[in-house]
Amino acid sequence: MPLIRGKNSGASSESSGSPQAALDSPDADSRWMAARAFAGQADAVPALAAALAREPIPRVREAIMTALIRIGNPASIDVLLPYLRSQDAGVRAAAIEALQALPEAIAPFMPPLLSDGDSDVRLLATELARNMEASQATRLLCELIEHEPHPNVCAAAIDVLTEVGTLEALPTLERCAARFAATPFLPFAISVAMSRISGEKS
Amino acid sequence: MDDSKGGSSRAVHISSEQVQRFCEFLYRRTGMSFAESKRYFIDRRLEDRIAATGSSSFQEYFSLLRTDADQEIEHLINSFTVNETYFYREEHQLRCMTASLLDDIVSRREPGATLRIWSIPCSTGEEPYSIALWLMENWPQVDNYNIEIVGSDIDTRALRAAAEGIYGDRALMRLSRDIIGRYFTSVTGGNHQIDEGLRNSIEFTQANLIDTKDMMQYRDFDLIFCRNVLIYFDDASRRLAAENLYDCLRPGGYICLGHSESMSRISPLFRVSRFPDAIVYQRPEADHG
């Protein structure tokens, strides 16, 4: 018989040092394990924030972000939000994914994000609405669209509404189509969104 | 959600646009993709779930689904997948294991070394036993290595059934008469019990994929089969499970997910590896990131 039964499932290699100290370790595996050990510990947010700011290894950054998600309080969201402005696309994408995993906790942060002076931040913030409760996401995105001057930001919000929007979005979308009549791709995207939301052919 | 809640299964009209919206949601959430040609299949299941949840319209049901009230997404996925498991299910991954994955793994290992394979969740045992049978029947190098197979699940009742190894005809439908004759014995009720040697060769343990402390017991696997479970988790839990699985693998080790799952949508930790029989995910050998 070539198959053997293992004596145990594998020894644990849990570090005996403190996770706080390990977060500063020059060894990436130690930092990775430390970040994972902090998952869900609210008092670890400052240490995780400091670690995230200096962490160069994507795999370890990912574990730090997961630890912050597991905490999921306003303090951990405050840590993640500045990374929406990162010049590194990978970091921005990681921050969006992390924040999307906290659809309820992110809600109070959405109005300032959707009215941010930087159109890139407003555009990324629309993506955070995708996992939110439908009526809440619809309200937030419609408020944005009503006043948004940038067609790309509107397009991003419309893309999210196409999936999650409710019937309440239809008047806002009609007004948006009229406002951007000279930008043909937007009225087209809006017609698709409206047909999906209403369940009728455009 | 109580399936009796909705009473009658009266048909609710679902437009093409609504089906398209639903399919986009389902794809984004689960990776399951259905073409327009599957419309009858989608409509039937959607109508059943709308009735079962007591929803009066597609819109009402879709709203319930998006907020995952009463874990409706789980009920929906169950209705869209074939839950019944059986030996040699998703056989292409077993072929990939013996045609590609193990040869790659042992290219870095001396004969006589131990190879560790993990089936999580293993439910009532069909999968870990399939791995064992497939290896013995299809991998020429099987006698050159010590092979440990661990089957884990969160459900202790399933684990007890797995250790007992008794199956009905339907579970064995993909196995040849020859294999059944060589590895199973008939027991009462027309069922079949898998050979005692095979039962004793697999270690069954309880494990929770999203419990990091629990998962720390499990290390140094060369190959993990983790099929059709991540789709049930929310985003935060999926990330955690991916990190836990990463820790359980040796560098260079592989993980096989279910056909509707994609690690690329969950975590950047793994590298996509395409083989003739399957797409699998690899923990990088030298991890610089």
Side-chain angles (χ1 to χ4, degrees):
Chain A
M1 175 72 65
L3 308 176
I4 61 163
R5 185 171 186 146
K7 290 183 177 58
N8 56 53
S9 300
S12 164
S13 53
E14 206 169 352
S15 168
S16 56
S18 82
Q20 180 83 47
L23 270 181
D24 297 327
S25 168
D27 174 51
D29 280 340
S30 299
R31 299 199 301 278
W32 156 270
M33 287 179 67
R36 289 170 47 64
F38 273 136
Q41 294 183 28
D43 56 358
V45 169
L48 290 166
L52 186 58
R54 61 176 180 262
E55 181 56 56
I57 306 290
R59 169 172 71 96
V60 182
R61 277 207 305 266
E62 186 78 5
I64 295 171
M65 287 186 174
T66 302
L68 289 165
I69 291 170
R70 299 298 288 182
I71 295 166
N73 62 11
S76 56
I77 288 176
D78 269 332
V79 173
L80 292 166
L81 285 176
Y83 293 95
L84 290 178
R85 299 176 198 278
S86 171
Q87 294 305 304
D88 181 332
V91 172
R92 284 199 306 275
I96 290 169
E97 282 179 14
L99 291 165
Q100 273 183 327
L102 298 165
E104 288 171 24
I106 191 72
F109 295 84
M110 288 297 282
L113 282 173
L114 290 170
S115 56
D116 195 278
D118 183 342
S119 60
D120 283 345
V121 170
R122 298 198 300 279
L123 191 149
L124 294 175
T126 63
E127 201 54 43
L128 300 179
R130 200 182 286 279
N131 287 357
M132 296 178 74
E133 189 269 324
S135 62
Q136 191 177 31
T138 300
R139 182 176 51 77
L140 285 166
L141 294 174
C142 285
E143 282 169 8
L144 167 76
I145 290 171
E146 290 286 3
H147 306 290
E148 177 56 51
H150 201 303
N152 288 345
V153 178
C154 285
I158 289 159
D159 181 57
V160 177
L161 281 174
T162 304
E163 179 182 315
V164 311
T166 62
L167 293 170
E168 285 68 34
L170 297 179
T172 296
L173 290 172
E174 276 180 359
R175 284 193 288 274
C176 185
R179 193 151 54 91
F180 286 100
T183 313
F185 81 93
L186 264 187
F188 172 74
I190 287 169
S191 70
V192 172
M194 291 179 70
S195 66
R196 296 281 174 82
I197 291 168
S198 63
E200 294 166 3
K201 283 193 189 304
S202 53
Chain B
M1 182 71 59
D2 177 2
D3 280 10
S4 65
K5 191 172 166 182
S8 69
S9 59
R10 64 188 166 75
V12 173
H13 175 72
I14 306 167
S15 71
S16 294
E17 284 68 28
Q18 287 170 328
V19 167
Q20 206 162 352
R21 197 176 191 208
F22 168 78
C23 287
E24 284 172 8
F25 168 82
L26 192 64
Y27 176 74
R28 224 182 261 280
R29 189 68 184 260
T30 70
M32 286 193 257
S33 179
F34 294 97
E36 181 67 22
S37 59
K38 292 279 186 185
R39 178 74 198 264
Y40 70 96
F41 177 87
I42 300 165
D43 279 5
R44 176 68 194 273
R45 276 148 191 81
L46 264 177
E47 283 165 11
D48 285 351
R49 291 313 309 162
I50 288 169
T53 55
S55 303
S56 59
S57 65
F58 170 83
Q59 285 292 353
E60 189 180 328
Y61 176 71
F62 193 58
S63 181
L64 180 81
L65 186 62
R66 284 201 60 260
T67 52
D68 205 9
D70 298 316
Q71 287 90 47
E72 177 53 27
I73 187 76
E74 180 176 337
H75 294 286
L76 178 83
I77 292 169
N78 283 344
S79 75
F80 270 81
T81 54
V82 179
N83 290 308
E84 187 184 22
T85 190
Y86 46 86
F87 281 79
Y88 285 6
R89 187 177 178 188
E90 298 195 54
E91 190 178 308
H92 64 284
Q93 286 190 338
L94 296 171
R95 271 201 310 276
C96 184
M97 171 176 71
T98 48
S100 307
L101 303 180
L102 290 180
D103 289 340
D104 176 60
I105 289 164
V106 301
S107 69
R108 304 184 289 269
R109 214 74 65 78
E110 295 297 319
T114 297
L115 303 180
R116 305 191 74 224
I117 301 173
W118 197 13
S119 167
I120 178 170
C122 69
S123 186
T124 48
E126 287 88 337
E127 178 170 289
Y129 288 131
S130 291
I131 294 167
L133 283 175
W134 186 272
L135 284 174
M136 291 194 295
E137 293 294 309
N138 296 285
W139 196 42
Q141 297 210 66
V142 71
D143 288 321
N144 299 336
Y145 293 88
N146 293 317
I147 300 172
E148 285 181 20
I149 301 174
V150 180
S152 301
D153 203 281
I154 199 167
D155 182 344
T156 53
R157 290 168 306 175
L159 288 168
R160 279 196 294 276
E164 203 172 19
I166 295 175
Y167 302 98
D169 285 336
R170 286 183 66 81
L172 273 54
M173 63 190 173
R174 299 286 297 276
L175 300 180
S176 67
R177 282 176 180 278
D178 172 50
I179 287 181
I180 294 170
R182 282 190 285 128
Y183 295 105
F184 292 82
T185 52
S186 295
V187 294
T188 53
N191 292 325
H192 312 270
Q193 184 167 33
I194 198 158
D195 173 77
E196 187 181 359
L198 269 170
R199 276 185 279 139
N200 290 336
S201 73
I202 295 174
E203 180 186 4
F204 289 103
T205 67
Q206 189 184 20
N208 181 353
L209 265 173
I210 55 171
D211 182 334
T212 300
K213 282 198 174 129
D214 192 14
M215 293 285 279
M216 278 180 174
Q217 304 168 61
Y218 300 93
R219 286 292 181 273
D220 298 331
F221 284 101
D222 295 291
L223 180 56
I224 299 176
F225 288 86
C226 181
R227 306 197 284 197
N228 307 313
V229 66
L230 295 179
I231 48 175
Y232 294 118
F233 294 168
D234 63 16
D235 288 349
S237 300
R238 257 195 292 263
R239 286 173 69 109
L240 188 62
E243 289 176 12
N244 287 338
L245 289 166
Y246 177 96
D247 273 344
C248 297
L249 274 175
R250 283 181 196 266
Y254 293 97
I255 181 163
C256 299
L257 301 181
H259 72 282
S260 66
E261 299 171 307
S262 166
M263 188 61 87
S264 309
R265 281 195 297 272
I266 300 171
S267 167
L269 293 170
F270 298 86
R271 178 186 299 150
V272 179
S273 291
R274 290 178 173 80
F275 291 98
D277 295 304
I279 292 172
V280 301
Y281 301 89
Q282 185 177 33
R283 173 174 169 164
E285 180 78 38
D287 197 345
H288 301 295

